[in-house]
Amino acid sequence: MKNLIDKLEKQHCLQKDEYASLIRNCDPGLSEYLFEKSRNIRHEIYGHDIYIRGLIEFTNYCKNDCLYCGIRRSNKNAQRYRLTKEEILSCCENGYSLGFRTFVLQGGEDPFFTDDRICEIVEEIKKKYPDCAVTLSIGEKSRESYQRYFDSGADRYLLRHETADPVHYSRLHPPELTLEKRMRCLYDLRDIGYQVGCGFMVGSPFQTEENLAEDMIFIQQFRPDMVGIGPFIPQKDTPFGEMESGTAGLTLFMLGLIRLALPCVLLPSTTALGTIDPRGREKGILAGANVVMPNLSPVSVRKKYLLYDNKICTGDEAAECRNCMQTRMRSIGYDVTVCRGDRKNF
Ligand code: SAM
């Protein structure tokens, strides 16, 4: 197996069956071998810098019904909320003073936030903080809508593809959501000029090693600027509430593979990873990730953006999250930097 990791390190690509056998053979020994290489390549490109993004979860209303997600429209137990434009701007103001130079606006697909409203918010953020990047993560929209957000100043867009296998996709989503549509969105975003992020959950229900290998092939070919991955974690009020979580071990292994396949990619060590392992985010960085996304949302709404159960950091103010992250990163020899944190080129 080590020879496949060597090959990936040198060529930055593998065949699907090669990825599948690596994933099937993921164990602590092979992981350590991989992480040494993925860390090294990350150090060559990004040194020991950690890029931070201020995450603003501005609405948990969603018109979609993804089977895994705690804010799906059928979840009658979700307490719904929306932030006002003023509240969003106040999160940015707080974030800016804490050294954030990227704001990620994430939310469910909420029809209240029309294109006009999104554009107005993006324009105001960019006017007040021209040195900052704005990332949107608000789901599937028409090409025209994506173009309008881009023209208003949005720089980046995160839209996880969730799984690159159409049959697996159909087992995670209701029939009106298709992989074909997701992919169309990702290609539109790329075409418009966004820095684009895709990604998937590790250990999502019904996922096989072949599915994960297919995700790697898609990433290798699409060459996104960012890849967001984290373990699947059940949320009790969803149809998958009784399913098993993904594991930290396999999530870390996938982070290592992604770093070797795309050396320059912006790769977050996610909150979900920190939820299933108390040192998950540190381990993610040591597996090759280079981004963390502390929460800037007001504490009053934190517990309501409950995609999955037991989510961490729901009670801390933004400043505490920022400081906690800095301490965690320093403890493993890395430094949180004050910059937009754009993708570098090889
Ligand atoms: N609505 C936007 C979208 O669809 O891209 C952004 C919000 S959506 C809740 C953000 C991501 O949360 C999804 O892409 C999904 O991968 C992740 N997510 C949802 N439910 C999850 C769960 N139970 N466990 C882990 N991740 C989950």
Side-chain angles (χ1 to χ4, degrees):
M1 285 302 125
K2 289 185 177 169
N3 60 325
L4 287 179
I5 290 178
D6 296 344
K7 182 174 169 194
L8 183 58
E9 181 192 25
K10 283 199 193 76
Q11 302 181 1
H12 311 299
C13 66
L14 290 179
Q15 307 284 339
K16 182 176 167 186
D17 60 333
E18 294 176 315
Y19 278 123
S21 37
L22 275 175
I23 294 163
R24 232 175 274 121
N25 285 285
C26 159
D27 67 17
L30 193 63
S31 297
E32 263 326 300
Y33 188 78
L34 168 65
F35 299 159
E36 204 184 313
K37 292 184 185 294
S38 52
R39 260 198 311 273
N40 280 345
I41 203 156
R42 176 251 202 266
H43 292 156
E44 269 174 41
I45 295 160
Y46 292 104
H48 284 68
D49 289 350
I50 301 281
Y51 293 161
I52 48 168
R53 315 313 194 188
L55 181 62
I56 305 170
E57 298 161 335
F58 69 100
T59 173
N60 72 349
Y61 282 87
C62 191
K63 68 180 173 64
N64 290 336
D65 221 13
C66 306
L67 277 75
Y68 45 83
C69 186
I71 63 169
R72 68 199 299 266
R73 69 158 186 264
S74 300
N75 183 2
K76 302 291 177 245
N77 291 335
Q79 286 177 270
R80 306 288 170 174
Y81 74 91
R82 293 184 177 106
L83 299 185
T84 62
K85 183 179 75 178
E86 290 67 33
E87 285 170 321
I88 296 171
L89 286 165
S90 138
C91 293
C92 295
E93 188 181 348
N94 188 17
Y96 193 87
S97 70
L98 292 169
F100 289 93
R101 295 295 178 267
T102 290
F103 302 116
V104 181
L105 299 184
Q106 190 183 88
E109 288 191 28
D110 179 357
F112 172 85
F113 284 98
T114 57
D115 290 352
D116 282 347
R117 286 194 166 110
I118 295 288
C119 290
E120 201 186 317
I121 294 166
V122 172
E123 271 162 24
E124 275 203 45
I125 298 175
K126 293 295 282 195
K127 198 165 85 200
K128 284 203 163 136
Y129 309 103
D131 53 336
C132 291
V134 171
T135 304
L136 292 177
S137 178
I138 53 176
E140 295 181 9
K141 306 280 174 178
S142 67
R143 184 177 172 122
E144 292 67 39
S145 299
Y146 287 147
Q147 186 69 57
R148 285 194 60 192
Y149 312 151
F150 187 75
D151 295 341
S152 303
D155 304 271
R156 307 184 186 131
Y157 205 103
L158 290 178
L159 184 72
R160 290 185 175 184
H161 64 282
E162 312 295 359
T163 169
D165 179 286
V167 175
H168 186 216
Y169 196 94
S170 71
R171 299 187 79 181
L172 301 180
H173 299 96
E176 64 272 18
L177 297 176
T178 63
L179 181 59
E180 200 188 336
K181 259 192 185 159
R182 273 265 138 161
M183 292 295 174
R184 198 262 304 145
C185 289
L186 284 168
Y187 282 95
D188 281 348
L189 289 162
R190 148 80 51 83
D191 216 36
I192 289 168
Y194 284 95
Q195 293 171 45
V196 183
C198 63
F200 55 90
M201 291 176 289
V202 177
S204 61
F206 321 113
Q207 185 179 66
T208 61
E209 284 93 357
E210 282 68 31
N211 293 152
L212 286 170
E214 193 63 49
D215 289 321
M216 289 305 301
I217 294 296
F218 169 62
I219 284 168
Q220 195 171 277
Q221 167 249 316
F222 184 63
R223 309 192 64 73
D225 303 282
M226 313 170 271
V227 179
I229 71 163
F232 160 75
I233 304 173
Q235 201 289 328
K236 62 177 171 35
D237 300 313
T238 64
F240 294 161
E242 300 295 317
M243 301 278 193
E244 297 254 304
S245 289
T247 64
L250 188 55
T251 306
L252 295 168
F253 195 75
M254 297 308 297
L255 284 172
L257 293 182
I258 294 168
R259 172 62 66 204
L260 288 192
L262 294 180
C264 298
V265 78
L266 295 165
L267 193 59
S269 190
T270 53
T271 305
L273 185 53
T275 297
I276 56 163
D277 181 326
R279 291 195 52 89
R281 283 166 301 173
E282 291 88 321
K283 290 178 186 172
I285 298 300
L286 294 170
N290 67 325
V291 174
V292 288
M293 295 170 70
N295 208 311
L296 286 183
S297 312
V299 174
S300 57
V301 302
R302 290 272 186 93
K303 282 195 169 61
K304 299 179 185 165
Y305 199 80
L306 211 62
L307 310 182
Y308 47 82
D309 291 331
N310 307 315
K311 187 175 170 201
I312 53 167
C313 308
T314 54
D316 301 333
E317 291 293 346
E320 291 172 69
C321 285
R322 166 70 169 83
N323 290 339
C324 163
M325 197 56 82
Q326 180 136 329
T327 310
R328 284 174 180 273
M329 295 301 123
R330 282 200 180 139
S331 77
I332 51 167
Y334 290 79
D335 250 323
V336 168
T337 57
V338 176
C339 66
R340 277 175 48 120
D342 287 302
R343 183 173 65 83
K344 293 195 176 170
N345 289 314
F346 208 15

